[in-house]
Amino acid sequence: MLHKAVLAAVLGVGLAIALAPTVALSENLTFRIKSEHENVVSLEFYSQSRNHVWPGNSKVYILDDYGTHTYNLSCRSGEKVCYGAWVRNRTSTYWGVGYNDRHGCESCCWICDGGRTPVVTLSN
């Protein structure tokens, strides 16, 4: 009798694991961005795979010098992430996908795979 109860419990756990939803594996993607523009630049990163923005919560990263800045994003493995930058308070001057992911681009996106981008230079 005890043997049947143990077997039923093991089968129940196995079935629960098999039916559990899959969880996306977490990964990191490191962007390196440098602005050569004379004005302050706002920057965000946009997932093309889900509705997610970094830094999020109506905040932006600020580039107010000519240094190279590093952004280590926690993302889902295989997720496509694009940068969008624009002159602060002037969204008509932009790089990548621009403000609010409004524009397409050919070379502003990377796949979340634990890697890092080359230095992306935002020039005049």
Side-chain angles (χ1 to χ4, degrees):
M1 187 74 131
L2 182 61
H3 181 67
K4 287 181 181 178
V6 170
L7 181 60
V10 169
L11 289 174
V13 169
L15 183 59
I17 291 171
L19 295 177
T22 58
V23 176
L25 298 176
S26 181
E27 199 60 80
N28 288 312
L29 176 59
T30 302
F31 275 86
R32 296 179 299 156
I33 310 268
K34 175 182 180 169
S35 175
E36 292 182 347
H37 200 277
E38 62 272 5
N39 295 87
V40 174
V41 171
S42 297
L43 171 69
E44 288 183 312
F45 300 96
Y46 304 96
S47 172
Q48 303 301 298
S49 307
R50 61 186 169 122
N51 185 22
H52 191 77
V53 179
W54 294 265
N57 296 322
S58 300
K59 296 180 182 174
V60 297
Y61 298 111
I62 299 295
L63 301 172
D64 59 0
D65 61 23
Y66 298 108
T68 299
H69 298 264
T70 301
Y71 304 93
N72 189 23
L73 308 182
S74 178
C75 47
R76 295 179 179 172
S77 183
E79 182 173 20
K80 184 177 179 180
V81 180
C82 305
Y83 71 87
W86 60 95
V87 171
R88 192 171 191 176
N89 300 320
R90 191 173 5 137
T91 60
S92 61
T93 301
Y94 67 91
W95 299 266
V97 295
Y99 172 73
N100 208 22
D101 197 16
R102 289 184 182 165
H103 307 281
C105 67
E106 293 295 320
S107 60
C108 65
C109 304
W110 281 265
I111 299 300
C112 180
D113 63 0
R116 67 181 190 163
T117 69
V119 175
V120 174
T121 301
L122 311 177
S123 56
N124 293 330

